[in-house]
Amino acid sequence: MLKLIYRRLLMMVVMLLGLLAIMFVVANVAPGDPARLAAGPDATRDMVETIRVERGLDKPLPQRFVIYLGSVVTGDLGTSIHTGRAVLHDLAIYFPATLELVLFSIGLAIVLGIPLGVIAAVNHNQLADHIIRIFAVSGVAMPMFWLGLMLQWYLALELNWFPLGGQLDLMSDPPTRITGMLTVDALLTGNFAIFLGAVAHLFLPALSLSFPALASIIRVNRAEMLETLNRDYITNARAQGIGPLRIVAAYALKNALLPTLAMIGLRFGWMLGGTVLVEGVFDWPGVGLYAAKAAISSDFEPIMAVTLVLGASFMLANLLIDLTYAALDPRVRAQV
Amino acid sequence: MSDPILSIRDMRLEFDTFDGVYKAIDGVSLNVAPGEALGLVGETGCGKSVLTRAAFGLVPSPPARITSGEVLFGGRDLLSLREKQLRSIRGAQVAMIFQDPMTYLNPVFKVGTQLVDAIIAQQKGAIARRAARDLALEMLDKVHLPNPQRQFDSYPHELSGGMRQRVLIAMALAAKPKLLIADEPTTALDVTVQAQILDLIAELVSELGLSVIMISHDLGVVAQVCNRVAVMYAGQIVEDAPVADIFDNPKHPYTLGLLKAIPHPLRPVEHLAGIPGSLPNLYTPPTGCRFADRCSHAVPVCTDGKPPLMDLGAGHRVACTLYRKEHVDA
Ligand SMILES: Nc1ncnc2c1ncn2[C@@H]1O[C@H](COP(=O)(O)OP(=O)(O)OP(=O)(O)O)[C@@H](O)[C@H]1O
Ligand SMILES: [Mg+2]
């Protein structure tokens, strides 16, 4: 088991290097002159050139990449042009908000998706199954940002049930910063009113972000449950007189969860990418919004850094999923 | 003769499929006397598994539909019971073991967990986990599984096919049921292991005084274990007789063909060398004898109507026009 973790962490480093290399090339073939941008609109030609040399932008690309890697390793992710702060500092501010949003979203998708998939399979071709299937198909078909806009317009603007955007009401004081995730910090500091406010703000963006994942999880889990419920070991369990609850919730579900887990991992990746859109719609102060703003001003170092943390999050999540896989399936465990 | 322990009467079962209604079981009647070991033979797809499973509510519906019949067991008609009542009979009073030990154990639960779950279900919760565990270990010992304590904590993939079948037998017989349905319990195993498992079943059957339905397409297996044989063809029983009679004095042309098809009593039937042709289309089954178009003895009346199962005396019954009284007399 430890060997698996070790191997996977090593692989992660290699993959992150690859990711950075690709991003680095893309950033440098994209139009726009970073030296000019850094120097500001009023800079003279000489000033721009000075900055170019100062920042090493005159060196060949591979050499610059190595230099960049060196600074990344020491924790220096560069400086953001549009915030004027160290990128690492910005990430410390914005990443917890994204993490909170994404964890809440994937949690929502899992907690709703698995039971709904099971309910649909158990009621195969009956009313409940049809309703859940229609729901799932619509979820796969609907673009995330469009769903976000619709939810925002109807539930927030028309019905006023939820706040339009942001992380907290302007009136309320944020809790002491511990993890940077408002809901968690509010709970840790025992501030229940703030917690409720934070959850209310979190709800619509999380729903938008989780809906496609929820739909896929339902679909995969339903299909897997249907197949598993037809397996021979289920027939044997029924022949022993074992009751339906144990058969569905343990004997079948534990087997059906294995492919569902793979889908959860995949969808988590999509979700991380989706934060750029959803954070934009709901004005959620996370790295997605941060990266979007940076992209508009051709501010590459923040984009690289955001890619790095999102990539690492995705890989860590998949490591976690593989470990869960091994925990669920003794045959997988036997192989590692 | 005492009342049968299981009596299936005129059972009909259809599958609603995409291609139409598949009439898998057509008017089957079958009795199992207490202490009797009945062999159920017939080529693949003739309905042996479906018949015995459907009798105890184990064939999912849909697609299956039981359109007529009774299954009398313990004084009740099982076909009129609800799933919950059936569940209290399955496991506790009727045990089943199946063909492929590789697929009938759940791959993600320990052998011991599955045994304990089954035992608790069989006893309807009236047994503590500890006691169930002790019983499970005792059963593993009884089926001669080496090192029961270790196998108890193993996962199915860590066991060989023969060991898994022993686990399944231990599971099935833990509640000391009255009836055992063994659905080709040795087909998927190596020949040497087959003999061991058959011996084990025979040993436990006599020890527990079980009645048995032994399904097989291997007449050799049946000869070894059973005292009576029912021959099934295309969803119907065509002959039913004491085991010696089946071998020495077979009546139905299909039974004759089956016997001819086995050059060696331990080799399973794959190609019915004695019988050309294949099972009839059961979406639109023939109205007469279902075997008529493969039968070398067929006469025009064979296609006229379904021949009833006729009693030839001494517990020998056959469904074939050739043995009709008027026919025999003529
Ligand atoms: N769920 C189902 N839907 C449609 N047809 C089915 C279904 N289950 C079984 N059948 C059909 O019922 C017939 C009888 O099947 P059954 O499994 O009882 O055969 P069998 O005699 O046990 O054969 P084998 O010796 O191969 O085990 C087969 O032709 C099969 O195709
Ligand atoms: Mg079968």
Side-chain angles (χ1 to χ4, degrees), chain B residues 15 17 22 24 42-51 63 99 184 217:
Chain B
F15 286 107
T17 73
Y22 186 88
E43 70 198 279
T44 184
C46 71
K48 306 180 294 289
S49 300
V50 167
L51 172 70
Q99 177 168 351
E184 306 193 36
H217 30 216

Side-chain angles (χ1 to χ4, degrees), chain A residues 151-164 200-201 203-204:
Chain A
L151 287 174
Q152 192 179 43
W153 166 71
Y154 194 68
L155 296 182
L157 210 57
E158 289 286 313
L159 296 179
N160 238 321
W161 288 359
F162 293 95
L164 266 175
H201 280 78
F203 192 74
L204 288 188

